[in-house]
Amino acid sequence: PLFSQEKTGKISFQPEKKFNLFFWLNSLIFLIIIFFIILFLRLFQLTVVKGNYYQHLARQNRLRELYIEAPRGKVIDRKGLTIAENLPADIQQNKARLTSKRVYKETQAVAPLIGYQQIADQNEIKNDACLNKLTLGDQIGKKGVEKIYDCLLRGRPGVKAIEVDAKGNYLKTLMVVPPIPGQTLQLALDLELQKKAYQLLEGKKGAVVAVKPATGEILALVSTPSFDPLKVEKYLSDQDKPLFNRATEGTYPPGSLFKLVVAAGALEEKVIDEKTEFEDTGSVQAGPITFGNWYFLQYGKTEGMVNVIKGIQRSNDIFFYKTGGRLGPEKIKIWAEKFGYGHTFNFGLDQSEGLIPSPFWKEEVLKEKWYLGDTYNFSIGQGYILITPLQATLATASIANNGYFCEPELLKIKDQRSKIKSCKKLPISDKTLTLIQEGMEKACSPGGTGWPLFNFKVSSFAKATEDKQSSSSASLRSIPTACKTGTAESQSKDKNPHAWFTVYAPFDKPEIALTVLVENGGQGSDIAGPIAKEILKTYFERKE
């Protein structure tokens, strides 16, 4: 019906509903066309617009590039003996990073000089200035030779390309680009000497430094206790501080070693000469304080009239109290600095400057006046003065080298003439040097304080050939030496003094200058002297 009448009497009209087939067919066709257009556009994007991109992704799913660490450069000693090298990465493995392990020979003996490596942090990677750049996970030298020559020791990493299946399982190796090792580094170090020095010092706290006087090349540099470069973390809280390099960073009063500086300064400043003599009365006064000579304090004896040669030979405190009093603290400081004390050297290792005091320093830092007693202490290497074993060795080497001061060198020098020319001539006359050298020679001769080196002899090996069979015979030969002993009071009064011994040999044509320090060891001649003797024996007792 077109209309209906409800009970209320109202009439409502309802249009007749009909299904519009044409409309729905057109809509369906339109939707299908839109779908195919979208499908076509998406297909076009995937295959044409981003085809290369998705091909690369597919290849990445199938191909893997593995990082091959470059072997770090080999480190050898002056004779070619290996100190550190790397085991090459195992390229048969299929890990994301194929590592190359560092191996150290004579681990703890060389650690204070060689140093160690650790994983580079983000800041080091960001600020890397080397040609072969660091990447995440690479190791970097943190101390010693490993740090100083890090750029040279680094190699260039390699790549291994492999094919994997959908589950990431290895299928085959497609290509290997081998890494390029870092450069080989030849140190001036004498590994045999280094090992011997370490063995002699092991179990003690101390240091040994040996150099070639003519060039400054470091033949040995030992600090004990030492550490394993591959296990650095375990030493961080060690109270004995094995990571602390006592040879270059440790500072100690030099004791009587410092008398060589006072003698040189006093002679050059003309406050004494070769004829100047002071009577050894056993002790001197400075205000209310009495300063005694070690020989008088230990044995109750005096040594009569003492000149500069005898003063060095017998390490006579009375002579140097009075000589230092004439020279004065300011000039003592000036001459100490001429010999390298109070300075660091530009050769890479971490160092301490030490302390060469002065009246100005005492007033500024301690807010106290400088007294005559301070000068007396200063004159015999006691009081506020602090030096490093490296500084002591270089000072001795400059005396051995006829007044030429050579800065320390870690690498073996190939052009020795050029290096010798670069050594600095100290403002010391030949006459002064001769007097000091003679005093040091007498110190290592009967009547001196360096008794371990009295009549020092070593085995000399001679080859003999008889009936086409070779044999070796050994005889003793004398090696004249020049030395100075030192016994320096520790800051802790309840501990033994520090034991020092510095020496060069042979006296007429020095090949080696050597200093031994034993922390709280006792008398220099008794404790450090025998160690120096054994090191020298190792150096000279070698078959050609």
Side-chain angles (χ1 to χ4, degrees), residues 205-222:
K205 291 181 182 178
V208 170
V209 181
V211 303
K212 287 182 70 69
T215 61
E217 290 170 282
I218 292 179
L219 300 174
L221 193 148
V222 172

Side-chain angles (χ1 to χ4, degrees), residues 251-262:
T251 57
Y252 312 87
S256 294
L257 265 59
F258 194 66
K259 292 172 182 175
L260 302 175
V261 169
V262 177

Side-chain angles (χ1 to χ4, degrees), residues 168-206:
N169 296 318
Y170 170 80
L171 294 176
K172 63 180 178 179
T173 298
L174 302 175
M175 176 188 67
V176 174
V177 178
I180 299 174
Q183 294 184 34
T184 295
L185 202 66
Q186 185 167 29
L187 302 183
L189 189 78
D190 184 325
L191 185 58
E192 186 181 358
L193 207 64
Q194 180 84 3
K195 286 162 54 180
K196 185 65 175 180
Y198 176 74
Q199 290 166 7
L200 292 166
L201 211 56
E202 194 172 10
K204 304 176 180 69
K205 291 181 182 178

Side-chain angles (χ1 to χ4, degrees), residues 261-305:
V261 169
V262 177
L267 288 165
E268 288 301 310
E269 297 290 344
K270 312 296 185 188
V271 298
I272 65 167
D273 59 27
E274 73 276 14
K275 296 179 181 178
T276 302
E277 292 183 325
F278 297 114
E279 184 181 358
D280 175 10
T281 55
S283 64
V284 296
Q285 288 291 127
I289 303 174
T290 300
F291 292 82
N293 179 37
W294 69 269
Y295 192 55
F296 181 76
L297 295 174
Q298 288 186 32
Y299 304 104
K301 297 180 180 180
T302 59
E303 300 190 281
M305 301 304 291

Side-chain angles (χ1 to χ4, degrees), residues 71-242:
R72 203 161 167 82
K74 194 174 183 180
V75 181
I76 59 177
D77 86 335
R78 66 185 302 106
K79 297 179 180 178
L81 298 176
T82 300
I83 298 172
E85 63 182 342
N86 270 55
L87 300 177
D90 183 1
I91 61 171
Q92 300 304 315
Q93 294 184 336
N94 295 306
K95 298 177 182 178
R97 188 182 188 93
L98 305 179
T99 58
S100 174
K101 185 180 178 182
R102 193 70 158 161
V103 177
Y104 297 94
K105 306 295 174 69
E106 306 301 332
T107 310
Q108 298 207 3
V110 300
L113 179 67
I114 296 300
Y116 58 89
Q117 305 172 85
Q118 286 181 330
I119 300 294
D121 58 36
Q122 291 287 356
N123 189 53
E124 288 165 333
I125 293 173
K126 179 182 177 182
N127 297 311
D128 184 18
C130 298
L131 183 62
N132 295 325
K133 299 297 182 184
L134 291 167
T135 59
L136 198 63
D138 283 349
Q139 293 206 330
I140 187 173
K142 290 284 188 176
K143 197 166 185 177
V145 168
E146 294 283 20
K147 178 181 179 181
I148 299 164
Y149 301 105
D150 187 62
C151 290
L152 292 177
L153 291 170
R154 277 189 220 169
R156 187 176 299 169
V159 176
K160 178 182 179 180
I162 63 171
E163 185 177 355
V164 297
D165 61 19
K167 294 182 178 180
N169 296 318
Y170 170 80
L171 294 176
K172 63 180 178 179
T173 298
L174 302 175
M175 176 188 67
V176 174
V177 178
I180 299 174
Q183 294 184 34
T184 295
L185 202 66
Q186 185 167 29
L187 302 183
L189 189 78
D190 184 325
L191 185 58
E192 186 181 358
L193 207 64
Q194 180 84 3
K195 286 162 54 180
K196 185 65 175 180
Y198 176 74
Q199 290 166 7
L200 292 166
L201 211 56
E202 194 172 10
K204 304 176 180 69
K205 291 181 182 178
V208 170
V209 181
V211 303
K212 287 182 70 69
T215 61
E217 290 170 282
I218 292 179
L219 300 174
L221 193 148
V222 172
S223 173
T224 56
S226 188
F227 61 94
D228 185 338
L230 300 176
K231 301 175 182 177
V232 171
E233 290 74 15
K234 67 179 279 190
Y235 301 99
L236 296 175
S237 58
D238 193 320
Q239 293 185 347
D240 288 335
K241 299 181 179 179

Side-chain angles (χ1 to χ4, degrees), residues 325-366:
R326 288 189 178 187
L327 185 58
E330 289 88 354
K331 287 188 176 177
I332 294 176
K333 178 180 173 68
I334 289 170
W335 280 95
E337 291 173 345
K338 289 182 190 297
F339 277 90
Y341 293 118
H343 296 294
T344 58
F345 308 102
N346 186 28
F347 77 122
L349 291 183
D350 294 335
Q351 303 161 68
S352 297
E353 289 183 354
L355 173 63
I356 308 300
S358 66
F360 176 79
W361 170 86
K362 189 179 181 188
E363 290 175 8
E364 284 292 305
V365 176
L366 301 182

